[in-house]
């Protein structure tokens, strides 16, 4: 694990203002020390991406130079309170701000925001506040819908425990349609399988005065996201995500002026140890990783690469009977000297799931070999030790979506 350039540790009463500078790292010591995940149960996350422009160089002229990155952390924390999660720690780079949350992660770029939350969080309840922040604080034109919106999730393990508006896919689509005029909803995969996937996408109306889309028009718009969703984790591999740490009732004092990476609380220190031992640190060795080990079990990590917009995020709930892990990244596989199937094989090898699904969502300009390897015109994608049971390809505007589902091959 690569140590952060600088660390600040503080409690709720002595919080250091975060100015979102390059290469900063901040820990919310109070939330980290008192977080108890004993009752965590719903691993599958809700994932929202809201794009206000195709990249940071094509922001509307009325927006702040740094776009969403200009928003103070306190405003995001206010939004996250509506979602019912807290910030545990933060990595800031020149291109993005990566927040490790009590329930998964958030990534803030100048032109887009990615929010991923698990459990019974009410992710979409934070959407109106997000849109309001974009208009009021960053100067995004009022009354103009975002450039692109994506919302997705796996089928829930315990749907009856979800809260409005997440009680059903129908409710979620209705909620999203109330905010966006050009939305489309999809269900991908077998309904009678443990692995099917829901997607909602919306794009700004072509009649909008902002919709010149020069980056898209000349084919320069490149975007790719690989997501791996795993269930039925191998219990020997899942054991490394447990700990016997006792959760504190209160946070200890800390001196932010003398804090260093050696002063991390037990949750972050345990997370760093797991990151190294389980092998995640070797996947993208050029990244900085912020990770947390929950008590009595569970693990989250955000990885970022300096001077680029690339990230990866991992979340694990290892409990027997509802074990789950997810991996998501926009790091081009070629950067790590691998192809996308190599990345999938490596990640799956860490967790040993009995079933998993893979989604690759990419623009056609990206030309990732993964899509070609997964079309009907090419040999099937293969992962050693697993049998592919689904292969579905969608064409969605300028994107291609590939969905694969696998089951462990019986010995």
């Amino acid at each position: 694990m690569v140590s952060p350039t600088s660390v600040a540790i503080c409690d709720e009463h002595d919080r250091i203002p975060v100015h979102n500078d390059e290469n900063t790292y901040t820990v919310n010591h109070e939330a980290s020390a008192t977080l108890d995940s004993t009752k965590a149960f719903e691993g599958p996350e809700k994932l929202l991406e809201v794009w206000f422009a195709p990249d940071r160089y094509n922001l509307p002229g009325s927006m702040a130079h740094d776009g969403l990155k200009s928003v103070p952390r306190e405003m995001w924390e206010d939004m996250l309170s509506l979602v019912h999660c807290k910030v545990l720690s933060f990595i800031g780079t020149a291109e993005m701000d990566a927040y490790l949350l009590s329930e998964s992660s958030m990534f803030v770029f100048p032109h887009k925001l990615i929010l991923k939350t698990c459990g019974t969080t009410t992710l979409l309840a934070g959407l109106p506040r997000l849109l309001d922040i974009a208009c009021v604080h960053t100067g995004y034109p009022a009354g103009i819908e975002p450039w692109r919106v994506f919302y997705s999730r796996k089928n829930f393990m315990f749907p009856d425990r979800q809260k409005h508006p997440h009680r059903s896919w129908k409710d979620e689509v209705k909620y999203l349609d109330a905010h966006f005029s050009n939305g489309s909803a999809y269900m991908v995969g077998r309904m009678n399988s443990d692995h099917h996937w829901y997607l909602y996408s919306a794009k700004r109306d072509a009649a909008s005065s902002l919709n010149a889309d020069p980056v898209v028009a000349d084919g320069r718009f490149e975007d790719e996201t690989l997501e791996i969703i795993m269930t039925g984790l191998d219990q020997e591999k899942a054991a490394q995500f447990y700990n016997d740490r006792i959760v504190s009732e209160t946070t200890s004092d800390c001196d932010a002026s003398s804090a260093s990476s050696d002063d991390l609380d037990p949750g972050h220190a345990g997370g760093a140890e797991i990151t190294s031992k389980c092998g995640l640190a070797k996947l993208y060795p050029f990244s900085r990783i912020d990770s947390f080990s929950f008590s009595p079990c569970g693990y989250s990590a955000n990885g970022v690469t300096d001077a680029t917009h690339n990230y990866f995020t991992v979340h694990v709930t290892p409990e027997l009977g509802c074990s789950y892990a997810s991996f998501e990244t926009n790091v081009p596989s070629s950067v790590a000297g691998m192809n996308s199937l190599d990345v999938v094989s490596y990640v799956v090898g860490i967790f040993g799931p009995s079933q998993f699904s893979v989604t690759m969502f990419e623009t056609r300009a990206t030309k990732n070999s993964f899509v070609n390897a997964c079309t009907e015109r090419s040999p099937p994608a293969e992962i050693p030790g697993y049998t592919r049971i689904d292969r579905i390809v969608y064409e969605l505007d300028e994107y291609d979506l590939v969905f694969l589902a696998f089951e462990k091959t019986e010995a």
Side-chain angles (χ1 to χ4, degrees), residues 34 67 112 136 147 184 212 286 290 314 339 380 391:
T34 60
K112 67 177 178 179
V136 175
W147 183 71
S184 300
F286 45 81
D290 176 23
V314 179
N339 61 45
R391 175 172 60 179

Side-chain angles (χ1 to χ4, degrees), residues 53-59 95 111 215:
D55 58 38
R56 67 178 303 165
Y57 305 106
N58 286 273
L59 295 173
E95 295 291 329
H111 62 292
V215 176

Side-chain angles (χ1 to χ4, degrees), residues 2-326:
V2 181
S3 298
T5 302
S6 61
V7 177
I9 300 179
C10 52
D11 65 26
E12 190 175 48
H13 307 292
D14 186 22
R15 175 166 290 166
I16 298 175
V18 177
H19 301 292
N20 298 355
D21 295 329
E22 182 177 355
N23 298 337
T24 59
Y25 181 46
T26 303
V27 173
N28 183 342
H29 199 97
E30 195 266 345
S32 301
T34 60
L35 186 65
D36 185 353
S37 293
T38 302
K39 297 180 181 179
F41 64 91
E42 183 71 71
E45 302 99 341
K46 312 161 183 87
L47 173 60
L48 176 70
E49 289 195 28
V50 182
W51 294 57
F52 295 91
D55 58 38
R56 67 178 303 165
Y57 305 106
N58 286 273
L59 295 173
S62 60
M63 284 191 78
H65 173 70
D66 276 346
L68 298 176
K69 267 179 58 69
S70 68
V71 176
R73 191 176 83 180
E74 289 74 17
M75 283 192 178
W76 294 132
E77 289 177 326
D78 175 65
M79 179 197 74
L80 292 171
S81 69
L82 302 173
V83 178
H84 297 102
C85 59
K86 296 180 179 181
V87 174
L88 298 180
S89 47
F90 161 96
I91 298 178
T93 76
E95 295 291 329
M96 79 182 90
D97 299 328
Y99 294 83
L100 197 64
L101 307 179
S102 55
E103 283 83 8
S104 302
S105 299
M106 180 172 74
F107 298 89
V108 179
F109 303 78
H111 62 292
K112 67 177 178 179
L113 180 142
I114 301 172
L115 179 57
K116 188 171 194 173
T117 66
C118 62
T120 57
T121 51
T122 52
L123 184 151
L124 290 179
L127 178 59
R129 181 65 178 133
L130 164 59
L131 299 176
D132 181 67
I133 289 173
C135 293
V136 175
H137 185 81
T138 75
Y140 187 78
I144 301 297
E145 294 186 1
W147 183 71
R148 296 286 188 276
V149 176
F150 303 101
Y151 174 74
S152 64
R153 65 171 175 84
K154 178 191 177 295
N155 53 301
F156 292 130
M157 294 180 176
F158 307 98
D160 58 309
R161 301 184 188 180
Q162 294 296 320
K163 302 172 184 177
H164 178 76
H166 298 286
R167 294 188 183 278
S168 71
W169 178 239
K170 181 179 179 180
D171 288 348
E172 290 170 314
V173 171
K174 181 179 179 180
Y175 189 92
L176 289 161
D177 278 344
H179 290 85
F180 309 113
S181 58
N182 257 347
S184 300
Y186 305 87
M187 194 286 292
V188 185
R190 303 181 187 184
M191 284 293 292
N192 60 349
S193 166
D194 182 53
H195 279 264
H196 54 274
W197 190 71
Y198 298 98
L199 170 68
Y200 180 95
S201 66
K203 61 185 297 185
R204 194 162 56 211
D205 194 309
S208 169
S209 60
L210 293 177
N211 204 38
D213 289 354
V215 176
V216 175
D218 68 7
R220 289 185 291 116
F221 177 50
E222 296 190 7
D223 177 43
E224 65 176 275
T225 302
L226 172 69
E227 185 175 28
I228 309 169
I229 296 174
M230 297 162 277
T231 57
L233 308 186
D234 179 276
Q235 284 304 292
E236 288 188 7
K237 295 178 182 294
Q240 61 193 321
F241 300 102
Y242 282 81
N243 65 74
D244 56 4
R245 187 174 74 252
I246 298 176
V247 178
S248 304
E249 292 297 327
T250 59
T251 181
S252 59
D253 294 333
C254 56
D255 180 4
S257 63
S258 62
S260 71
S261 59
D262 295 329
D263 298 316
L264 294 178
D265 56 81
H268 284 90
E273 182 178 1
I274 290 174
T275 300
S276 177
K277 288 185 176 180
C278 76
L280 279 170
K282 297 179 181 179
L283 179 59
Y284 301 122
F286 45 81
S287 62
R288 291 192 295 137
I289 303 175
D290 176 23
S291 53
F292 192 88
S293 172
F294 295 87
S295 180
C297 63
Y299 169 85
S300 286
N302 287 340
V304 300
T305 58
D306 294 329
T308 76
H309 65 282
N310 297 139
Y311 70 91
F312 73 90
T313 184
V314 179
H315 303 283
V316 185
T317 53
E319 295 94 327
L320 182 65
C322 58
S323 60
Y324 173 89
S326 68

